Amino acid sequence: MKINRGYVRRLILTPGQVAALDVQGHAARALWNLLHEWWMWGGTGRRPSLKDADEAIRQARRDIPWLADLPAQAAQQVLKTYVRAWKNFFEGRARPPEFKSRVRSRMGVDVPQARDLAVTRLSRRVGQVRVAKVGVIRFRWSGPIPGIGREPGRTTGARLVKDVLGWHIVFRTEVQTATPAQHNGPAVGIDRGVNVALALSDGNDQTHGAWLRPKEAERMLRLERKAARQKRAREPFERTSNRLHRTYHQIAGLRARAKRRRHDWQHKTTTAIAQQYGIVVVERLRIKNMTRSAKGTTEQPGRNVRQKAGLNRVMRNEAHARTVELLEYKLTERGGQLLPVPAAYTSQTCSTCGHRDPASRAGIRFVCTSCGWTGHADTNAAVNILHAAGLGRVRTWSPAPEGCETSTTRRAA
């Protein structure tokens, strides 16, 4: 089995190296925009070929001197990425390519050939890598990387990316492993929620604290209020001031820190679940539909708009879709299986008698109106999710949502 993975490491740069990478990042973004404009409105009357696009890039690098600051291989990779974006669009996997904004887009520079990296480990915590037109730069050695040193596998390339916390390098790796044996662990149902991040059907709930520490949360609140005051002080259509830009940058830094802590918790939690359980059952949720605004229209305005906006913010902060993505590939690598099931009525049905009644759910408390069973609503939903996959004790009931349904109990095969 071939496993492709990316390993992110933070770069340790001098001011000159930061400036050089910023120039390459802006050149890559400008080259993408020029390529997109030429591809869409080149005036050829037909779809351009890769040969024509390659020649157009070469001519642009000759005509515009600062485009030559981007290494030739990185420029060729911009073309490959652009063509891949169109292919993903035609196959229904993504939206069509668009122009990249200088403010909102994320800067990145590709190093497609691994042999050009010359990765070396200098000490226990520091390594170095070679980047064209920048030189040798150091990075934090925060863990092993396949294909480097004695680690099995190979490094196929890298990509330099910049976020609000600085420049990072992402090593693209490939490892060949034997097909794993079937995982003999138990099956479990997982309910993803807000009160309990991951409620498991066996009671082994996974929770976390606030992503920001109390002092950081206070600072975030002060910065958001400061940004609101600075924004109100602007005249209509006035250009954003440098002070407001600096405030936005500080807010983005705190949000990026919280995002990293969430990713760290998700990785550790999903790894532990994949190691313990052989089959994991989750709801098939449409997160985008669940987090839509409740504003409505002018003719039909929504209700409880502010409350729904707060709930949407909390749900997005949990990143439930990413949790499922991590679970899927980690279970596959360990011989486990992820089973998605429909989410309808899992929170309204009693996991003991099978009676369905919306009145049974009262916040985080579930009290069955038929048999009187009482428990945590998220744990009850997790058990129903496990039942929906045909595992454990499965309840069958009539589809009518009201009244006292007669239920039967059977053992899963």
Side-chain angles (χ1 to χ4, degrees):
M1 183 173 63
K2 182 170 67 175
I3 300 176
N4 295 317
R5 192 80 73 248
Y7 290 80
V8 184
R9 300 293 181 264
R10 187 167 185 173
L11 296 178
I12 307 172
L13 303 174
T14 64
Q17 292 173 338
V18 172
L21 285 179
D22 286 346
V23 170
Q24 290 192 15
H26 287 303
R29 177 190 55 81
L31 186 61
W32 172 284
N33 290 339
L34 291 173
L35 178 61
H36 184 55
E37 182 180 7
W38 175 85
W39 191 282
M40 298 295 294
W41 302 286
T44 58
R46 57 181 178 83
R47 182 179 299 175
S49 64
L50 288 178
K51 181 178 179 180
D52 296 337
D54 180 68
E55 182 57 34
I57 288 178
R58 294 175 184 270
Q59 186 62 40
R61 287 167 55 83
R62 289 191 293 266
D63 296 340
I64 306 175
W66 53 269
L67 282 182
D69 294 332
L70 184 68
Q73 290 185 345
Q76 296 299 318
Q77 194 65 26
V78 172
L79 172 60
K80 294 180 181 179
T81 306
Y82 183 79
V83 174
R84 167 58 64 178
W86 274 116
K87 185 176 180 180
N88 291 338
F89 167 67
F90 290 134
E91 294 178 357
R93 293 193 297 266
R95 298 178 61 182
E98 297 177 350
F99 290 106
K100 292 187 176 181
S101 167
R102 180 184 179 93
V103 178
R104 292 182 294 273
S105 63
R106 188 180 184 184
M107 286 199 295
V109 179
D110 270 298
V111 185
Q113 299 295 334
R115 64 172 182 269
D116 300 333
L117 295 172
V119 183
T120 307
R121 187 170 187 176
L122 300 180
S123 64
R124 181 171 175 266
R125 290 298 183 185
V126 179
Q128 71 177 20
V129 64
R130 188 184 304 278
V131 178
K133 298 193 177 185
V134 178
V136 177
I137 57 180
R138 298 187 300 163
F139 66 90
R140 294 186 60 182
W141 195 284
S142 53
I145 304 173
I148 298 177
R150 298 180 180 179
E151 296 296 325
R154 68 188 186 99
T155 302
T156 60
R159 179 173 174 82
L160 305 169
V161 295
K162 184 180 183 182
D163 61 11
V164 69
L165 299 179
W167 280 95
H168 301 74
I169 183 169
V170 184
F171 293 98
R172 292 190 290 264
T173 65
E174 179 182 297
V175 179
Q176 292 283 351
T177 61
T179 302
Q182 184 177 357
H183 199 303
N184 294 324
V188 67
I190 296 181
D191 178 69
R192 294 165 286 166
V194 174
N195 297 309
V196 179
L198 299 178
L200 276 63
S201 58
D202 60 358
N204 184 23
D205 297 342
Q206 303 295 320
T207 60
H208 59 78
W211 303 125
L212 290 177
R213 299 185 178 95
K215 292 293 184 181
E216 294 172 339
E218 292 178 8
R219 184 165 182 260
M220 171 70 81
L221 182 59
R222 289 198 304 269
L223 289 173
E224 290 177 341
R225 290 175 175 175
K226 181 180 178 181
R229 290 194 303 269
Q230 292 173 336
K231 190 175 180 180
R232 286 196 302 267
R234 291 190 308 168
E235 296 294 334
F237 306 105
E238 184 182 359
R239 185 177 179 180
T240 303
S241 66
N242 291 333
R243 291 183 179 181
L244 182 54
H245 273 304
R246 183 165 58 249
T247 305
Y248 284 155
H249 183 78
Q250 293 171 342
I251 293 174
L254 288 174
R255 289 177 177 173
R257 191 177 303 175
K259 182 179 179 180
R260 287 192 172 191
R261 290 170 183 166
R262 181 179 68 237
H263 286 183
D264 180 70
W265 179 86
Q266 286 179 317
H267 271 290
K268 292 178 180 178
T269 303
T270 53
T271 298
I273 292 175
Q275 290 174 347
Q276 182 176 356
Y277 301 100
I279 300 177
V280 176
V281 188
V282 296
E283 295 173 292
R284 190 182 292 110
L285 299 177
R286 294 183 179 272
I287 305 298
K288 186 176 181 180
N289 295 344
M290 295 171 62
T291 56
R292 283 181 177 175
S293 174
K295 287 183 178 180
T297 62
T298 305
E299 295 77 14
Q300 296 180 347
R303 294 179 299 173
N304 299 327
V305 177
R306 297 303 303 169
Q307 293 86 334
K308 184 62 166 62
L311 177 62
N312 292 346
R313 186 163 51 249
V314 173
M315 291 184 63
R316 294 192 187 101
N317 197 35
E318 292 295 333
H320 289 315
R322 189 174 188 272
T323 301
V324 173
E325 292 177 0
L326 297 179
L327 272 174
E328 185 174 10
Y329 84 78
K330 291 182 180 183
L331 285 167
T332 302
E333 291 178 0
R334 292 164 176 79
Q337 187 179 7
L338 182 74
L339 298 178
V341 298
Y345 305 117
T346 54
S347 62
Q348 301 176 5
T349 304
C350 177
S351 58
T352 302
C353 69
H355 176 71
R356 181 192 305 161
D357 186 2
S360 299
R361 176 77 184 263
I364 63 174
R365 183 181 174 88
F366 189 93
V367 181
C368 181
T369 57
S370 177
C371 68
W373 179 85
T374 303
H376 198 287
D378 293 338
T379 304
N380 175 76
V383 176
N384 287 328
I385 292 170
L386 183 65
H387 293 169
L391 303 171
R393 295 173 61 86
V394 184
R395 307 294 192 267
T396 60
W397 52 80
S398 61
E402 68 274 357
C404 296
E405 304 95 340
T406 57
S407 62
T408 59
T409 304
R410 61 181 175 84
R411 288 284 183 180

